[in-house]
Amino acid sequence: NNSIAWWLGPRTMVPRWWASRMSIRRHSHFGFRGMGRLHECLMVCSSLIFLRSTCAPHRRAFIGTLPALPARLLLGRAPWRASHRRPVVGCLHAVPLTLDVLARQDSATVRAVFDVLASDASFEAFTARQMQSIVRRDEEDGEKLKQGIQLAIDKGLLPEQVHVESARSVNVEGREVDDICSEIIEALGDAPQKGCVMTLQGLSGTGKGTVVTRLQQLLPNTHIWSNGNLFRAVTLLATTLAEQQGINLQEALRPTTLQTLMGMLKLVELADGEFDLKVDGLCLSYLASEVKNTVLKESRIERSIPTVAGMTQGEVINFVRNALEQMTSSGYNVLMEGREQTLNYIRTPHRFEVILPNMALIGQRRAAQLVGARALDQIRCKGGGGEPGSEVDVHAEIREALKALVGT
């Protein structure tokens, strides 16, 4: 009647043979939950041995059953429960912050930066500020998008009522990206073998981009569709027309003129099987992929894109629908991530929504991303990208980056 086997056996996937190796005996008058601190510490030591030697499902099942004190000792912070886990950007295990990890600028970087700054009061304040900024920007963007959609409805480009297929909710809190992708791929079934469209919606900062990027690596013949270059290409044509004809931007965006401009955009399949957006008109001839960081990032484009995006939602959505049909008919899979208002006009049964019950994690993720990027820039400026002397130097750069960002 070993106490560990008695308490864990019927509650977890932990093999009873492991529990039976513990030398702690159950005392009939208080049982496992009443064991003293020494017994709890022995429990933690044996837990570490088990966690290092067993497979991931057993590890997760075992950790979830630990009582509060051993879990706190084992993890070095609050008891491990679903509500305390990291979002998709985080890892389930601590990652030491080295220069290599910092240079990756990925989910491991975010987790490592957060672990270094978790107890820093200024980081907590910076996190709260980022969360407020994200929520405010989401609300503002949502209102602008709503107005753009209504304008498209008024122009007769979009129907007022649409039947939207149900979206499957995917909780990303405390899960690694491969685990999330496995759930999505399983739900897709054999659709990727034929060519399909998959949409992924959710709030800013929930890791949609991370999931979509990983899905592209895991699924065959898969492209990620982004409306960003399309809006920029429309803006390039509109501003060029305004300059050539000496008119203002609003005149260049009149419905009849805009219809002509949209005819100058085509989705072309390249020799290597990739698809690209081609701009062909007004003496311009570009592939979007070749000028996405040059021509499409010019200051005149940056200044005008908010106005153009607000007035061209219907035209862009209809272009995208035709492009998606072209790609899937060729046997390709297309991944789209974005806002629910626009994705509702894309017809597909493969709809997913990432959710993050603990909204505070969104601010933590964004804050850690900003601090990590700032610290990496500092290191490169100081040493030309050379490696600092030790991990302590990286930690110092992280704290210096935070100090600079908090002051901005």
Side-chain angles (χ1 to χ4, degrees):
N1 282 330
N2 181 277
S3 63
I4 307 302
W6 167 79
W7 195 81
L8 290 177
R11 292 169 169 79
T12 72
M13 299 168 63
V14 179
R16 289 182 67 91
W17 62 262
W18 174 82
S20 67
R21 291 174 180 268
M22 291 294 295
S23 61
I24 304 173
R25 297 291 178 180
R26 174 165 59 95
H27 299 281
S28 59
H29 63 283
F30 57 80
F32 180 82
R33 291 185 183 272
M35 292 195 325
R37 187 176 297 273
L38 176 60
H39 286 174
E40 290 174 329
C41 291
L42 289 174
M43 168 68 182
V44 171
C45 293
S46 296
S47 300
L48 290 171
I49 296 172
F50 170 72
L51 291 173
R52 289 177 62 87
S53 62
T54 191
C55 59
H58 283 177
R59 282 198 297 268
R60 287 194 290 269
F62 170 73
I63 290 176
T65 64
L66 288 176
L69 180 57
R72 187 160 57 246
L73 290 172
L74 181 62
L75 299 170
R77 51 174 63 92
W80 190 276
R81 294 290 185 267
S83 61
H84 292 91
R85 291 176 179 172
R86 298 286 183 263
V88 61
V89 297
C91 303
L92 293 179
H93 308 289
V95 179
L97 183 58
T98 63
L99 182 59
D100 288 340
V101 171
L102 184 62
R104 285 164 58 180
Q105 293 293 295
D106 60 5
S107 60
T109 308
V110 170
R111 174 60 193 269
V113 170
F114 179 79
D115 284 345
V116 170
L117 299 175
S119 60
D120 191 305
S122 60
F123 180 70
E124 184 176 348
F126 184 58
T127 292
R129 197 171 81 189
Q130 293 305 310
M131 185 64 215
Q132 293 170 359
S133 175
I134 291 170
V135 171
R136 183 172 60 252
R137 186 168 59 251
D138 266 7
E139 291 175 349
E140 293 173 352
D141 291 347
E143 184 59 32
K144 292 177 181 177
L145 184 55
K146 181 180 177 180
Q147 295 173 2
I149 295 292
Q150 186 59 51
L151 177 61
I153 293 172
D154 295 340
K155 290 193 291 185
L157 295 173
L158 297 177
E160 188 169 0
Q161 300 293 332
V162 291
H163 170 71
V164 183
E165 303 85 350
S166 60
R168 173 172 176 156
S169 296
V170 180
N171 189 339
V172 300
E173 189 169 330
R175 300 173 65 187
E176 296 179 5
V177 65
D178 282 355
D179 185 25
I180 297 165
C181 290
S182 295
E183 178 182 338
I184 293 174
I185 292 172
E186 182 179 356
L188 289 173
D190 62 353
Q193 306 306 319
K194 308 170 186 177
C196 70
V197 175
M198 189 213 85
T199 64
L200 187 66
Q201 63 195 47
L203 297 175
S204 298
T206 51
K208 298 187 301 293
T210 303
V211 173
V212 166
T213 300
R214 183 59 178 148
L215 282 171
Q216 184 186 32
Q217 299 168 352
L218 296 173
L219 294 172
N221 301 324
T222 301
H223 296 268
I224 297 175
W225 180 270
S226 171
N227 283 343
N229 284 342
L230 178 53
F231 277 117
R232 289 178 179 277
V234 176
T235 305
L236 172 64
L237 289 170
T239 54
T240 300
L241 179 66
E243 292 168 358
Q244 290 179 353
Q245 297 189 2
I247 59 178
N248 61 41
L249 186 60
Q250 298 290 338
E251 292 178 288
L253 293 174
R254 288 176 177 173
T256 53
T257 307
L258 191 52
Q259 184 177 1
T260 302
L261 295 181
M262 294 303 297
M264 300 177 187
L265 298 173
K266 296 179 179 63
L267 183 70
V268 295
E269 185 172 2
L270 306 180
D272 59 0
E274 293 293 322
F275 286 88
D276 207 342
L277 179 65
K278 185 174 183 179
V279 180
D280 190 9
L282 301 179
C283 300
L284 303 174
S285 183
Y286 296 121
L287 288 177
S289 63
E290 296 175 352
V291 294
K292 63 182 180 181
N293 294 320
T294 54
V295 175
L296 296 184
K297 290 287 183 71
E298 291 178 356
S299 59
R300 60 177 179 147
I301 306 298
E302 298 291 346
R303 288 194 306 268
S304 303
I305 195 169
T307 300
V308 174
M311 299 184 67
T312 60
Q313 287 294 328
E315 288 83 1
V316 166
I317 288 174
N318 286 331
F319 182 94
V320 170
R321 290 196 293 201
N322 292 331
L324 295 179
E325 184 177 349
Q326 178 183 344
M327 297 171 76
T328 54
S329 64
S330 298
Y332 289 91
N333 299 303
V334 187
L335 306 177
M336 293 187 66
E337 61 97 353
R339 292 184 173 274
E340 182 180 0
Q341 293 99 317
T342 52
L343 294 180
N344 283 348
Y345 286 93
I346 305 300
R347 302 276 61 80
T348 175
H350 311 295
R351 313 178 77 88
F352 299 87
E353 180 177 16
V354 291
I355 59 174
L356 193 57
N358 187 354
M359 294 290 291
L361 294 175
I362 297 177
Q364 293 171 0
R365 176 181 186 267
R366 183 62 54 84
Q369 285 176 328
L370 293 173
V371 172
R374 178 69 175 250
L376 185 61
D377 287 343
Q378 290 174 179
I379 292 173
R380 286 173 174 168
C381 288
K382 292 177 180 178
E387 185 168 356
S390 67
E391 274 189 31
V392 177
D393 294 326
V394 181
H395 289 198
E397 294 292 345
I398 287 291
R399 298 190 183 282
E400 183 179 333
L402 173 62
K403 184 177 180 180
L405 288 169
V406 168
T408 58

